[in-house]
C-alpha cells in the first residue's frame, strides 16, 4: 500500500478525503480528458462511424503520453464509450455510421500521473431536432444544478434531489440504474452518487471529496436494460437518452469542476 494511502482519512461511509495538493493532479487529468473531447467535435458528422471516433480518441491518448482507463477495464477494449440515441451509457464503438440527427454521448477517462480524469458530453451529427435539443438542454441544466448543490455541509441527497426535481418538472425521467462515483487515484470508489433522492439524505459533503456527477435523462420512462454484450445499456421504451458528466472536488466554499471544456465546447450548441 502506498504511503499516501496509509495516511488518507476515510469517512465512516468509506469516502476518501484528499489533501489540498491533490487538487492539482485531478485538475491536470480532467483537463486532458476534456481537451480530448474538445478535439472530437469536428469528427461528429453523418457518415462517420463511432469506431472512427474511438480510433481518434485512442490516438489522442497515445499522442499525449497518457493512459486510457477503459482499455482493458473488465475486458473492455476501447478508449471511449459512445452511446447513440436510445443508448443510455456504455455504448461500444462500432462500424455503424451516424445519420443526420443522431445524438451521442462520448465518455472518456484518462490516467495522468496516477490521477483519473473522467468526463462525458453530448454531440449531434447534423441537424438537431427540437425534442432532442430540449432533452440535451434539460440534462445539462440538471447536471449544473447538481453541481450547484456541492458544498461542505450539504449531502449527496441534496445533489440527487436538485437533479431529479428539475428533470421531472420538465416531464422527463432520471435513470436509476447507473450513478456517479468517487474517483481520484482509482477509477471507481465510494460513494455512489445518485442523481435522484431526498434533500438532506446520505453522507455529508466534506472538503477534499472527489467524485463524478453524471446524470442520465430519458425522454420517456427511466427503466433500462443491458444488452447481450454485457455493456450496452438502453432505454426499455426506446426513448432518447442524454448524459453529461463532470468530475468535481469539494472545496472549502463549494466545488471545483476538474473537467471544464478548455475550448468552451461542453454543450453541442456552444461555440
Amino acid at each position: 500500500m502506498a504511503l499516501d494511502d496509509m495516511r488518507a482519512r476515510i469517512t465512516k461511509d468509506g469516502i476518501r478525503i484528499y489533501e489540498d495538493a491533490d487538487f492539482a493532479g485531478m485538475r491536470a487529468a480532467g483537463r486532458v480528458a476534456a481537451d480530448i473531447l474538445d478535439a472530437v467535435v469536428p469528427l461528429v458528422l453523418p457518415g462517420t462511424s463511432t469506431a472512427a471516433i474511438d480510433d481518434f480518441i485512442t490516438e489522442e491518448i497515445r499522442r499525449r503520453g497518457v493512459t486510457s482507463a477503459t482499455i482493458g477495464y473488465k475486458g473492455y477494449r476501447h478508449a471511449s464509450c459512445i452511446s447513440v440515441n436510445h443508448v443510455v451509457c456504455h455504448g461500444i464503438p462500432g462500424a455503424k455510421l451516424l445519420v443526420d440527427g443522431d445524438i451521442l454521448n462520448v465518455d472518456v477517462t484518462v490516467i495522468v500521473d496516477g490521477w483519473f480524469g473522467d468526463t462525458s458530453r453530448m454531440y449531434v451529427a447534423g441537424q438537431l431536432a427540437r425534442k432532442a435539443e430540449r432533452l440535451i438542454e434539460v440534462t445539462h441544466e440538471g447536471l449544473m444544478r447538481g453541481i450547484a448543490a456541492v458544498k461542505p455541509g450539504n449531502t449527496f441527497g441534496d445533489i440527487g434531489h436538485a437533479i431529479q426535481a428539475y428533470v421531472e418538472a420538465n416531464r422527463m425521467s432520471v435513470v436509476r440504474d447507473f450513478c456517479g462515483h468517487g474517483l481520484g487515484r482509482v477509477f471507481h470508489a465510494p460513494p455512489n452518487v445518485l442523481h435522484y433522492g431526498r434533500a438532506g439524505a446520505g453522507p455529508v459533503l466534506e472538503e477534499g471529496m472527489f467524485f463524478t456527477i453524471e446524470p442520465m435523462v430519458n425522454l420517456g420512462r427511466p427503466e433500462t436494460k443491458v444488452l447481450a454484450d454485457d455493456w450496452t445499456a438502453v432505454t426499455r421504451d426506446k426513448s432518447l437518452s442524454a448524459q453529461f458528466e463532470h468530475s468535481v472536488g469539494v472545496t472549502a466554499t463549494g466545488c471545483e469542476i476538474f473537467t471544464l471544456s478548455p475550448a468552451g465546447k461542453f454543450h453541442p450548441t456552444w461555440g
Side-chain angles (χ1 to χ4, degrees), residues 209-222:
M209 290 179 173
F210 296 162
F211 50 88
T212 70
I213 305 176
E214 46 186 295
M216 289 142 274
V217 175
N218 298 344
L219 269 181
R221 293 186 54 80

Side-chain angles (χ1 to χ4, degrees), residues 106-247:
V106 182
D107 190 339
V108 169
T109 307
V110 297
I111 309 169
V112 180
D113 296 329
W115 297 98
F116 285 71
D118 187 1
T119 184
S120 79
R121 67 179 78 159
M122 296 302 295
Y123 299 79
V124 179
Q127 187 67 34
L128 179 59
R130 178 53 191 152
K131 68 176 182 178
E133 181 178 24
R134 185 167 172 269
L135 170 65
I136 288 169
E137 289 171 348
V138 168
T139 306
H140 179 264
E141 179 63 18
L143 168 66
M144 299 315 293
R145 290 187 181 218
I147 290 173
V150 177
K151 62 180 180 180
N154 277 4
T155 68
F156 282 94
D158 293 327
I159 298 171
H161 177 75
I163 295 168
Q164 181 184 10
Y166 178 75
V167 169
E168 293 181 353
N170 281 275
R171 300 180 180 275
M172 299 179 195
S173 63
V174 177
V175 170
R176 268 65 165 177
D177 296 332
F178 302 94
C179 61
H181 53 89
L183 82 170
R185 287 194 174 275
V186 293
F187 195 173
H188 297 98
N192 290 333
V193 183
L194 305 182
H195 305 117
Y196 62 94
R198 182 169 53 85
V204 175
L205 295 162
E206 296 185 43
E207 182 179 359
M209 290 179 173
F210 296 162
F211 50 88
T212 70
I213 305 176
E214 46 186 295
M216 289 142 274
V217 175
N218 298 344
L219 269 181
R221 293 186 54 80
E223 291 84 8
T224 70
K225 64 178 179 179
V226 177
L227 302 184
D229 59 26
D230 289 329
W231 285 104
T232 308
V234 300
T235 56
R236 282 192 174 273
D237 61 7
K238 295 184 169 58
S239 62
L240 287 177
S241 187
Q243 179 187 19
F244 286 92
E245 174 184 13
H246 272 315
S247 296

Side-chain angles (χ1 to χ4, degrees), residues 26-112:
M26 288 298 291
R27 204 173 290 133
R31 183 179 177 89
V32 170
D35 195 40
I36 289 171
L37 290 187
D38 282 354
V40 165
V41 172
L43 280 68
V44 182
L45 297 167
T48 301
S49 70
T50 53
I53 295 172
D54 184 71
D55 287 345
F56 173 82
I57 291 169
T58 302
E59 176 57 25
E60 281 292 294
I61 290 171
R62 186 204 64 78
R63 184 178 68 82
R64 294 161 190 265
V66 300
T67 303
S68 168
T70 56
I71 295 176
Y73 179 77
K74 296 185 176 180
Y76 195 74
R77 296 181 295 177
H78 303 276
S80 64
C81 293
I82 303 180
S83 304
V84 182
N85 293 333
H86 73 292
V87 178
V88 174
C89 61
H90 304 157
I92 300 174
K96 187 175 181 180
L97 303 181
L98 298 173
V99 301
D100 188 56
D102 278 347
I103 63 171
L104 53 152
N105 176 274
V106 182
D107 190 339
V108 169
T109 307
V110 297
I111 309 169
V112 180

